[in-house]
Amino acid sequence: MLALRLLWRNWRSGEVKILAGALVLAVAVVSAIGVFTERLERSLIKESSSFLGADRIVRSSHPIDPAWFEAADRRQVRQARTAMFSSMVFAGDNMHLASVKAVTPGYPLAGRLEISTIPFAVAAADIAVAPGVPAPGEAWVDSRLLPLLDIELGQRVQVGEKTLTVTRVVIREPDRGDGFSLFGARLMMNFADLAATEVIQPGSRVRYHWLLAAEGARLDAFMQWVEPQLTEHQRIVDLESAQRGLSSTLQTGRRFLMLAGVVGVLLAGVAIAIAAQRFAGRHVDQVALMKSLGASAWRIRGLYMGQLLLLAAVASLLGMLAGDLVQRAVVAALAAIFPISLGAAPIGAYGIGAITGLVCVLFFALPPLWHLPLVPPLKILRREMQVGAIRTWLQGALGLCAVVVLVWLYSGDARLTAAVIVGLGAVIALSALVAWRLLHAGRYVGMRAGSVWRLALANLQRRRGQSVVQILVFAIALMLLLTLTTVRTTLIDEWQVQLPADTPNHFLVNVAPYEVEPIQRLMTQQQVQANHLFPMVRGRLTHVNDAVPAAQVQREAEVLRREANLSWAESLNPDNRITAGVWWPDWPAERGVGVSVEQDVAAELQLALGDRLRFSIGGLRLDATVASIRSLEWDSMRPNFYFLFSPGALDNYSPMYLTSVYLPPQKKLFINDLLRKFPTVVVIEMDKVIEQIQTIVAQVSQGVELVLWLVLVGGLFVLLAAVNASMDSRLQESGLLRALGSRRGLVMGSLWAEFSTLGFFAGLLAVLGAQVLLFGLQAWALDIAVRPHLWMWLLGPLGGAALVGALGVLSCRRVVTVAPAVVLREVG
Amino acid sequence: MIEASQISKSVTTSEGELVILNDVSLSVGGGDSLAITGASGSGKSTLLGILAGLDLPTSGSVSLNGQVLTDMDEEGRARVRAANVGFVFQSFQLLPGLSALENVMMPLELHGSRDAEQRAREFLQRVGLQERLRHYPKQLSGGEQQRVAIARAFASEPRVLFADEPTGNLDTATGSRVIDLLFELNREQGTTLILVTHESRLARRCSAQMALQAGRVMAPATLVAADALAR
């Protein structure tokens, strides 16, 4: 209980307030980030699952073995099935090549199927979540199928041999974005009616989806059971494979949030270490006194550990509470912007705050206090006696250990951990060296400056060791903030560039050569912006360098197993980049037909420049030489091709044309006009998918913003702690100066000059360090091209000088407001 | 009560070995008081530190209340100090964050005393500071601070009280009031008092005096020295 009483007295005298504040902040920042990211991640996973309509899908071109369904039931894995195919749908004399989807009850397992009784409904009040799937004998259809077939709800349509009554329109289908291969307006029907349509015959092109959902471990176990039994016609689809672009956005977002969390902890940790060091410094006399009165080293250790543990427990609890409040407030604010609500975080998510609190105490707060029990009792008589204190480098090393533990705890990613350590280590070592030189140079300049600056720079020079440490602390805080701000700006910019508001959201395929011009005319009339029309033929790659590819390659490269879309182009899409070889203007005509291959396909097929490829296009043979390898962005929503030939190469193979257009919601009916005039043209609607992706991107961006603000608070706290740590000696010196008759202006001016010089040097180093860190992150951790901004070079040093200067002067203003005698008596 | 036999203390400096104490022996009985006098740097405080078990001599032995301090480790000496010793320092050594009452309570709490607050109040009353219980050191004058320190020293009723220049930071009038108080409490509690001072007036109030010069005990002709004390 004595520990509790001592803690209370120390608290009252203000000595543990900064330590406690930093601890509360560390735990609060981490709890808020931890709980928020956990909730965000869960909602994103849920959201992502809704893209699939399930947690996993087994996709198959053949019906799936019914024995598997029983197995799923036994293992308590929820399931549903869909079968998708193109079929003519008739209503009287009207017909349309619809995209039919037969679904079993339970569909969708994730996400929401939204339906309405009002065609083209947009008002929320008109739209309802489907209570189930279409009953046998019923069909739910895309709104635009109604005008295409010239029918209304309640009327009947014919699918093969089965007549169905159209009872609802489908407004939104979670798994609509799955692949490009199905065209035409949707007609959804009950799986039980499928056989009666008699549409599916041996050889029919049907895509069967087996939708699965269960909690993580159970699902993983089931997938492990399924996987070895898959045939070559079947494969497992998860978010990663279904939405490559979106998945990488999520991945980068998650990494960023995690990294920001580490930065937050590191900043708070530095604040804790500084506060603990100050606390320890102020307690040397107390310990010497207690020891002279007969307290043993163990007793002292017990008393201080007791205080620290009590403090950690209370601060962690308060921190978790504060963190929870912060994240709740943010979620509430987010909920106003996004319709998707975040689910509750599991109780375990709060644990990360508690663990972080413990790690902070062990690695940051404990080391400076560790030597306290070793203070010799003789110190009470010999005040000049030097007592051992933790070495700065040791404290730094321990801090780095804490970062390793925490990064590992948060990510389990060795590469990221290594990147953080190497980056931080290099920056700290380099900064210490540069700071030392800067101070020396500063003194040289100071000799020639006015009295305020001379005093300030001489002070810094005299306490060179301490000044270097302070510059380092300021620099680390500023560096992390600059890095984070830049990465966040780049991230969000990149995401927004990836999917700008006018991202093409409809693909027109199967456009005949003679339709190209009239369609372009129609689009101009209706003010619809179209991209370039690409010629396209379907063909299969059969030979590489005159040989059939090895069985192993055939198994791995999907492009060998099915027909691919082939095209030619004179100019590259903006999202395409030649990574090897040459583009057509530089391709020598005497080398014949050239082909540019997408880099992932080239890697799968182990292709090199100059390799000969043979394609079979409708039975005709086309030989081409690999002229270049290309990278491209699949998530740009522009038409993109694995194989792009030299201009004119496909002219003899009766190409059809393809393009993508952006249609704002109010122009959606343009599709019907188009389809009525050009019935053979196929439209692929991607608008709902893009909308969903944009929502997720916006959500992650908001999360990133929030985390940045939290980390900023951490940074400010470090600055405050560091300024406070050197307060006593500054107060003493300034008090002395005033007692000796210095003007207030000189004292304040020199304090201002001293702190802003520290801030300026720290800012300069921070910019340098941020560049190194950004390079490291770009190379090893985040898959983005970070562009350092010029403003950093201005903001770093000037912002640093202003911020540290202001904080310093604010904290030390007592020195001119309180009588010098009082100041001197207080600080001894 | 305290016996020191042939204690020497030397330290190694860059200029060679520096002898601080050289062959000092003394003996002080229970309830007696000894003043150690000498100029600055004569080794007074070093001797006090060794006698109190805060430091070890390079050679020689010290025993306190029959326990040989020089044979013990720091933990052992701490136990002896806890059971027997109190201190009064030149610079008072009050903890700035603690009130006068809490400063006096501190050693009692360390020793696990159940009525720490009650006793602390009593002793503060004894030194005339009953109105200043909740005041912090910086709100007290030098003399008041030293009275708090005296209350703290006597509150745990030590067998031996070590006082290091107890009036060094006080003016003459305040100093003599503090000394009166010190001797009064000393008499009442029968405490053995070892006092380091350079003030002869103060030294004369002790039952014995010992002068040090450059680490050696000066001729016993002028002062009551080790041999005379070792009765």
Side-chain angles (χ1 to χ4, degrees):
Chain A
M1 283 321 278
L2 181 55
L4 184 62
R5 280 204 295 277
L6 289 180
L7 181 62
W8 168 242
R9 288 172 194 164
N10 286 326
W11 169 264
R12 212 188 42 204
S13 66
E15 285 175 358
V16 286
K17 276 184 186 150
I18 289 189
L19 184 63
L23 250 175
V24 169
L25 186 91
V27 177
V29 167
V30 174
S31 296
I33 292 175
V35 175
F36 177 73
T37 47
E38 181 74 31
R39 291 182 71 182
L40 190 66
E41 204 162 311
R42 281 183 163 232
S43 100
L44 290 180
I45 288 172
K46 209 172 111 201
E47 185 80 345
S48 315
S49 300
S50 77
F51 264 85
L52 298 176
D55 294 337
R56 298 278 202 294
I57 289 178
V58 176
R59 183 187 283 177
S60 173
S61 55
H62 292 78
I64 290 162
D65 184 353
W68 294 7
F69 307 150
E70 287 163 29
D73 281 339
R74 270 201 309 277
R75 292 170 182 240
Q76 294 173 303
V77 174
R78 292 190 297 130
Q79 54 179 326
R81 279 171 291 145
T82 67
M84 283 174 286
F85 52 93
S86 292
S87 178
M88 277 297 176
V89 178
F90 299 88
D93 291 340
N94 296 320
M95 59 181 163
H96 173 75
L97 183 64
S99 163
V100 180
K101 183 173 189 172
V103 297
T104 61
Y107 165 88
L109 298 180
R112 302 192 298 183
L113 174 62
E114 292 178 352
I115 54 174
S116 177
T117 49
I118 300 165
F120 299 103
V122 282
D126 300 332
I127 299 172
V129 176
V133 296
E138 284 185 10
W140 296 348
V141 302
D142 267 354
S143 299
R144 67 185 178 84
L145 187 67
L146 302 177
L148 282 173
L149 294 179
D150 201 14
I151 55 169
E152 285 171 6
L153 286 182
Q155 291 188 292
R156 292 200 281 195
V157 293
Q158 188 84 19
V159 181
E161 298 300 319
K162 178 78 183 170
T163 304
L164 300 167
T165 308
V166 178
T167 54
R168 295 282 187 282
V169 289
V170 176
I171 303 295
R172 195 168 284 120
E173 221 176 302
D175 50 342
R176 188 73 188 234
D178 181 43
F180 287 178
S181 54
L182 291 166
F183 316 132
R186 165 74 75 232
L187 181 142
M188 191 179 288
M189 57 186 276
N190 197 296
F191 208 91
D193 290 334
L194 190 57
T197 62
E198 296 178 28
V199 170
I200 296 178
Q201 305 292 332
S204 293
R205 286 191 61 157
V206 183
R207 180 182 280 185
Y208 295 93
H209 279 185
W210 184 29
L211 285 67
L212 298 163
E215 48 84 22
R218 182 175 294 158
L219 184 62
D220 288 342
F222 185 65
M223 294 327 285
Q224 271 169 15
W225 176 82
V226 170
E227 213 163 342
Q229 309 185 61
L230 295 178
T231 66
E232 59 178 324
H233 304 291
Q234 294 168 331
R235 69 188 181 92
I236 294 170
V237 183
D238 52 18
L239 178 73
E240 205 102 332
S241 50
Q243 302 286 347
R244 268 191 285 185
L246 181 64
S247 160
S248 78
T249 302
L250 285 182
Q251 201 66 29
T252 316
R254 198 175 306 156
R255 274 167 177 269
F256 175 84
L257 288 174
M258 203 269 304
L259 204 65
V262 174
V263 170
V265 176
L266 185 59
L267 287 175
V270 172
I272 290 169
I274 294 170
Q277 212 141 21
R278 185 168 193 238
F279 178 82
R282 295 177 78 129
H283 276 246
V284 166
D285 285 348
Q286 179 166 345
V287 169
L289 180 70
M290 291 201 288
K291 288 188 88 170
S292 75
L293 294 173
S296 68
W298 279 109
R299 184 81 203 281
I300 306 268
R301 184 156 284 148
L303 282 176
Y304 277 89
M305 291 311 109
Q307 288 187 66
L308 196 61
L309 284 179
L310 276 169
L311 185 69
V314 175
S316 294
L317 213 65
L318 283 176
M320 286 195 283
L321 228 88
D324 194 52
L325 284 178
V326 168
Q327 66 89 13
R328 269 173 209 276
V330 170
V331 170
L334 270 180
I337 309 169
F338 300 111
I340 301 150
S341 64
L342 299 184
I347 199 79
Y350 294 85
I352 200 123
I355 294 176
T356 305
L358 197 66
V359 170
C360 281
V361 165
L362 287 180
F363 285 86
F364 293 111
L366 186 57
L369 301 183
W370 194 250
H371 76 281
L372 268 185
L374 305 178
V375 169
L378 192 60
K379 169 84 178 157
I380 201 78
L381 287 177
R382 300 195 171 282
R383 303 203 72 186
E384 75 286 357
M385 225 176 150
Q386 293 292 317
V387 295
I390 184 166
R391 306 259 171 229
T392 309
W393 67 264
L394 185 61
Q395 175 77 71
L398 280 168
L400 217 56
C401 284
V403 176
V404 174
V405 170
L406 291 173
V407 177
W408 189 255
L409 184 76
Y410 298 165
S411 72
D413 184 339
R415 231 164 53 133
L416 188 70
T417 313
V420 170
I421 292 162
V422 171
L424 275 179
V427 164
I428 290 171
L430 202 76
S431 303
L433 236 135
V434 177
W436 190 263
R437 292 309 308 162
L438 279 178
L439 282 174
H440 190 73
R443 170 75 174 141
Y444 188 73
V445 174
M447 297 291 277
R448 284 152 187 74
S451 58
V452 165
W453 286 94
R454 202 164 54 234
L455 193 64
L457 293 170
N459 270 344
L460 287 177
Q461 174 73 9
R462 194 155 31 80
R463 286 194 295 254
R464 229 200 292 194
Q466 198 192 349
S467 302
V468 166
V469 173
Q470 285 200 335
I471 290 180
L472 269 185
V473 169
F474 292 141
I476 290 173
L478 291 173
M479 173 187 80
L480 293 175
L481 291 178
L482 285 174
T483 308
L484 220 53
T485 318
T486 314
V487 171
R488 161 248 170 222
T489 312
T490 311
L491 260 186
I492 293 178
D493 282 356
E494 193 156 291
W495 288 338
Q496 278 163 0
V497 167
Q498 227 164 297
L499 287 175
D502 58 350
T503 302
N505 55 6
H506 290 80
F507 283 82
L508 309 186
V509 294
N510 213 29
V511 177
Y514 59 86
E515 289 172 327
V516 169
E517 264 195 52
I519 285 183
Q520 276 173 331
R521 253 201 319 277
L522 179 70
M523 286 200 275
T524 316
Q525 271 168 20
Q526 305 241 8
Q527 294 169 323
V528 171
Q529 182 78 42
N531 288 304
H532 177 70
L533 274 138
F534 286 87
M536 190 182 91
V537 298
R538 304 270 299 167
R540 185 188 287 267
L541 175 64
T542 56
H543 293 72
V544 175
N545 289 330
D546 301 321
V548 175
Q552 172 74 19
V553 177
Q554 290 212 24
R555 263 196 303 279
E556 282 173 12
E558 202 189 345
V559 72
L560 288 170
R561 296 200 299 270
R562 61 179 179 84
E563 285 193 324
N565 295 328
L566 314 177
S567 183
W568 68 258
E570 269 175 27
S571 56
L572 274 176
N573 258 349
D575 57 314
N576 282 220
R577 205 163 51 80
I578 300 288
T579 56
V582 294
W583 188 241
W584 310 131
D586 304 318
W587 178 250
E590 62 272 18
R591 294 197 67 179
V593 174
V595 62
S596 173
V597 186
E598 193 270 334
Q599 63 180 10
D600 291 345
V601 168
E604 265 178 12
L605 296 171
Q606 299 156 16
L607 294 183
L609 293 176
D611 279 352
R612 288 184 309 283
L613 305 184
R614 185 184 302 166
F615 293 87
S616 167
I617 303 170
L620 298 173
R621 169 176 161 175
L622 170 65
D623 288 292
T625 308
V626 176
S628 62
I629 310 287
R630 259 176 316 127
S631 69
L632 56 84
E633 288 170 23
W634 287 108
D635 37 9
S636 69
M637 299 292 162
R638 289 194 186 83
N640 267 311
F641 299 89
Y642 287 134
F643 301 102
L644 270 181
F645 289 82
S646 44
L650 302 176
D651 285 357
N652 298 331
Y653 299 86
S654 357
M656 297 299 269
Y657 285 76
L658 155 84
T659 190
S660 61
V661 295
Y662 168 68
L663 287 179
Q666 67 272 21
K667 288 223 165 107
K668 183 85 184 171
L669 284 177
F670 165 77
I671 295 171
N672 285 3
D673 284 355
L674 184 91
L675 287 176
R676 255 196 293 272
K677 285 186 184 127
F678 308 96
T680 55
V681 169
V682 172
V683 176
I684 305 171
E685 294 161 278
M686 295 296 292
D687 46 348
K688 297 288 189 290
V689 177
I690 288 170
E691 211 175 278
Q692 271 171 318
I693 294 178
Q694 278 168 337
T695 308
I696 287 184
V697 166
Q699 232 171 2
V700 177
S701 302
Q702 285 287 325
V704 166
E705 296 268 351
L706 154 81
V707 167
L708 188 77
W709 281 110
L710 286 179
V711 173
L712 256 172
V713 175
L716 273 178
F717 216 87
V718 171
L719 296 183
L720 204 64
V723 167
N724 256 294
S726 61
M727 190 72 81
D728 287 349
S729 60
R730 274 173 227 278
L731 279 176
Q732 190 178 21
E733 277 171 24
S734 306
L736 206 59
L737 276 176
R738 278 195 68 207
L740 294 174
S742 296
R743 287 174 296 108
R744 285 165 68 122
L746 177 75
V747 173
M748 277 316 262
S750 87
L751 274 177
W752 175 261
E754 196 177 328
F755 277 114
S756 56
T757 306
L758 277 180
F760 182 83
F761 288 161
L764 208 61
L765 280 173
V767 178
L768 279 169
Q771 303 280 4
V772 176
L773 260 194
L774 283 173
F775 176 78
L777 287 178
Q778 192 174 332
W780 296 310
L782 298 171
D783 185 26
I784 51 168
V786 177
R787 288 174 294 275
H789 294 283
L790 275 181
W791 57 258
M792 249 167 67
W793 287 98
L794 266 177
L795 187 74
L798 295 184
L803 195 67
V804 177
L807 270 176
V809 170
L810 272 177
S811 309
C812 293
R813 69 183 184 286
R814 283 191 62 234
V815 79
V816 291
T817 52
V818 178
V822 176
V823 171
L824 284 176
R825 197 154 112 198
E826 274 178 31
V827 294
Chain B
M1 189 70 206
I2 294 184
E3 296 225 13
S5 169
Q6 296 178 314
I7 48 175
S8 297
K9 177 80 178 176
S10 53
V11 290
T12 312
T13 66
S14 53
E15 286 153 17
E17 198 175 36
L18 179 69
V19 178
I20 302 172
L21 287 176
N22 195 349
D23 198 23
V24 176
S25 299
L26 59 84
S27 174
V28 183
D32 287 345
S33 55
L34 168 68
I36 302 169
T37 60
S40 286
S42 59
K44 309 186 293 284
S45 293
T46 305
L47 180 58
L48 184 87
I50 289 172
L51 293 178
L54 297 177
D55 199 6
L56 282 176
T58 313
S59 65
S61 75
V62 178
S63 67
L64 197 154
N65 201 22
Q67 293 165 295
V68 184
L69 294 176
T70 37
D71 289 348
M72 296 176 178
D73 60 4
E74 169 52 30
E75 295 295 289
R77 291 196 299 276
R79 276 196 295 275
V80 174
R81 284 199 302 272
N84 300 290
V85 172
F87 288 96
V88 174
F89 304 100
Q90 179 179 3
S91 52
F92 323 137
Q93 295 288 3
L94 299 181
L95 299 175
L98 270 52
S99 66
L101 181 66
E102 288 163 348
N103 263 294
V104 179
M105 281 165 68
M106 217 248 316
L108 296 169
E109 288 177 328
L110 266 181
H111 298 153
S113 164
R114 287 179 183 277
D115 54 351
E117 185 171 344
Q118 184 55 35
R119 283 176 63 190
R121 282 175 186 277
E122 279 170 31
F123 274 87
L124 279 167
Q125 195 171 8
R126 294 285 298 279
V127 300
L129 289 176
Q130 62 275 21
E131 307 297 323
R132 302 283 205 157
L133 299 180
R134 302 286 168 197
H135 285 56
Y136 289 92
K138 66 181 177 189
Q139 298 165 322
L140 300 172
S141 70
E144 287 170 332
Q145 288 190 47
Q146 194 60 305
R147 276 149 70 192
V148 175
I150 288 172
R152 177 178 69 188
F154 281 102
S156 48
E157 295 175 354
R159 290 196 175 92
V160 189
L161 182 74
F162 291 93
D164 182 24
E165 303 272 13
T167 55
N169 273 354
L170 303 172
D171 60 64
T172 316
T174 313
S176 69
R177 277 200 296 279
V178 163
I179 286 304
D180 287 347
L181 185 64
L182 187 70
F183 277 94
E184 191 187 321
L185 285 166
N186 188 42
R187 206 172 37 250
E188 280 177 20
Q189 293 198 359
T191 314
T192 304
L193 177 67
I194 309 280
L195 191 143
V196 161
T197 184
H198 59 268
E199 281 186 55
S200 50
R201 201 166 46 88
L202 174 55
R204 277 197 294 274
R205 295 185 64 165
C206 294
S207 57
Q209 297 174 42
M210 189 176 87
L212 283 181
Q213 194 172 44
R216 284 177 177 277
V217 179
M218 283 176 70
T222 50
L223 295 159
V224 184
D227 291 340
L229 287 165
R231 294 189 286 267

